[in-house]
Amino acid sequence: MEFKSKDIISIRDFSKEDLLYILDISKKFEKDYDSNLLNGHILATLFFEPSTRTRLSFSSAMSRLGGKVIGFDNPASTSVSKGESLLDTIKIVEGYSDIIVMRHPIDGAARFAAETAKIPIINAGDGVNQHPTQTLLDLYTIQKSFGKLENLNIGFVGDLKYGRTVHSLAHALSHFKAKMYFISPPQLKMPKDDLEQLDKEKIKYTEGKDLSKVANKLDILYMTRIQKERFPDPIEYQKLKGCYRIDKTFLENTKKGLKVMHPLPRVDELCSSCDGTEKAIYFEQAHNGVTVRMALLSLLLKKIKNERT
Ligand code: CP
């Protein structure tokens, strides 16, 4: 992929080589970077849904490289509340900025915005569909922790139906022949089309609801929150909340090299007693978001020569 001026919409748009290339550039940014590299550029962060990590780490990445950030985190305070369409919002903001990061509750909204915009759009999460930059930082964290991406056993736990981070990461790890264990209540299983895609790629996976049955096989335990805001029926959420909960005692009975990841925020599925253990890498995972997003912004704003082209 030629990165300059590209949109980042779905992890499915990246080849294995693209992913590895971004991780390599990210590694360079972790060691050193030019704090004026993006001087004169403006990032617009348009968040139609709440966020802490994604919005602030993009803002931090842009600021660390000398760029400026504008945007909103509450559509109620913008002209969207007066009925302005997404199309018009994008048409206006593209005149105020050089690149847009957008989170939106509707699946496909990022693709729709990208078809309209003359500047790059980065999908910061569209409904239950995709969260590609989360996947990039997840891959970066895995590579840093294990020294490789190939042939790992990963257990995805929790809300696999609505969990866009899981949908994106499962696809990305299929390039690296991961074995996947999908652990969820029956109501929150992985969507059929994601599993069909894994079947096409001949990826080995199992589905079940009992974490304890597979915990000792795992290199990575990828916990996710049961997402209250995604449930059409609040009674269904009440039935499922708290269905998984791991704590320090649980981790003591797992494989030595296991690493626990979580896109965060967490609610009750991951106890703070896990935090100080050597298995917990979720805070490091969140912090890696700045490095990876610095690399991505620089690639898209043409500030890094793509050595592969
Ligand atoms: N992981 C993640 O997307 O977190 P935020 O919702 O806080 O951005």
Side-chain angles (χ1 to χ4, degrees):
M1 186 196 281
E2 170 60 70
F3 287 97
K4 66 178 179 183
S5 305
K6 279 282 183 231
D7 304 302
I8 304 296
I9 305 301
S10 166
I11 208 72
R12 293 185 188 205
D13 300 334
F14 292 81
S15 67
K16 180 177 177 178
E17 289 68 35
D18 293 332
L19 296 173
L20 290 172
Y21 179 68
I22 295 171
L23 301 188
D24 274 355
I25 300 289
S26 302
K27 247 182 255 166
K28 290 182 187 160
F29 273 89
E30 185 171 331
K31 282 204 196 103
D32 191 23
Y33 57 85
D34 171 359
S35 57
N36 277 315
L37 190 69
L38 297 185
N39 189 6
H41 287 84
I42 297 176
L43 164 72
T45 57
L46 311 187
F47 278 66
F48 295 84
E49 273 191 340
S51 166
T52 297
R53 278 145 292 274
T54 311
R55 188 175 66 82
L56 294 181
S57 63
F58 263 113
S59 298
S60 174
M62 194 64 178
S63 303
R64 284 184 192 280
L65 294 172
K68 293 210 163 31
V69 183
I70 59 171
F72 58 80
D73 57 12
N74 178 9
S77 69
T78 72
S79 290
V80 171
S81 66
K82 301 180 213 162
E84 184 158 72
S85 67
L86 177 59
L87 191 83
D88 281 1
T89 303
I90 296 294
K91 277 185 184 299
I92 296 305
V93 176
E94 71 180 358
Y96 299 162
S97 60
D98 304 298
I99 187 163
I100 292 174
V101 176
M102 185 180 91
R103 173 170 289 185
H104 199 280
I106 298 175
D107 299 20
R111 185 81 69 195
F112 173 74
E115 280 163 11
T116 300
K118 295 190 191 82
I119 62 173
I121 299 280
I122 301 177
N123 181 8
D126 61 325
V128 303
N129 185 32
Q130 285 271 319
H131 193 347
T133 67
Q134 176 71 40
T135 298
L136 293 172
L137 73 91
D138 289 346
L139 292 177
Y140 186 76
T141 305
I142 293 169
Q143 196 184 50
K144 229 178 130 179
S145 292
F146 291 90
K148 65 171 191 174
L149 290 166
E150 305 281 350
N151 299 313
L152 292 165
N153 292 334
I154 180 164
F156 293 100
V157 180
D159 178 358
L160 311 186
K161 178 179 179 182
Y162 300 119
R164 58 195 175 197
T165 63
V166 172
H167 305 159
S168 293
L169 183 56
H171 179 79
L173 282 174
S174 69
H175 289 298
F176 302 99
K177 304 294 167 226
K179 172 140 195 216
M180 303 182 197
Y181 297 84
F182 297 115
I183 302 136
S184 71
Q187 299 92 324
L188 297 178
K189 284 168 72 166
M190 276 291 273
K192 209 162 154 259
D193 68 322
D194 288 286
L195 294 180
E196 282 170 1
Q197 186 65 31
L198 296 178
D199 288 334
K200 261 191 225 156
E201 288 154 8
K202 301 198 176 0
I203 296 302
K204 291 187 186 144
Y205 65 83
T206 66
E207 292 184 278
K209 60 179 170 47
D210 191 348
L211 171 59
S212 62
K213 277 194 183 152
V214 299
N216 270 314
K217 299 185 174 146
L218 305 178
D219 301 304
I220 302 163
L221 176 54
Y222 195 96
M223 295 298 295
T224 64
R225 175 175 65 96
I226 307 294
Q227 301 174 91
K228 185 179 181 182
E229 69 277 19
R230 302 279 180 223
F231 281 76
D233 180 355
I235 296 168
E236 276 305 300
Y237 170 73
Q238 289 302 326
K239 281 189 210 156
L240 296 176
K241 71 170 188 177
C243 59
Y244 297 104
R245 184 180 177 279
I246 67 161
D247 59 14
K248 193 176 175 183
T249 310
F250 174 88
L251 289 186
E252 279 163 3
N253 295 311
T254 55
K255 197 159 112 174
K256 189 166 181 293
L258 175 79
K259 298 295 178 200
V260 181
M261 299 177 70
H262 193 311
L264 303 176
R266 62 180 162 185
V267 185
D268 49 13
E269 66 283 357
L270 179 56
C271 293
S272 56
S273 64
C274 300
D275 292 358
T277 70
E278 63 182 19
K279 293 178 176 173
I281 58 169
Y282 33 88
F283 291 124
E284 180 190 340
Q285 178 188 357
H287 293 157
N288 286 337
V290 176
T291 304
V292 171
R293 287 167 174 141
M294 282 164 79
L296 198 58
L297 288 171
S298 304
L299 283 164
L300 299 179
L301 288 169
K302 316 173 205 177
K303 290 295 177 180
I304 293 186
K305 195 168 171 287
N306 189 341
E307 283 144 23
R308 303 174 310 164
T309 55

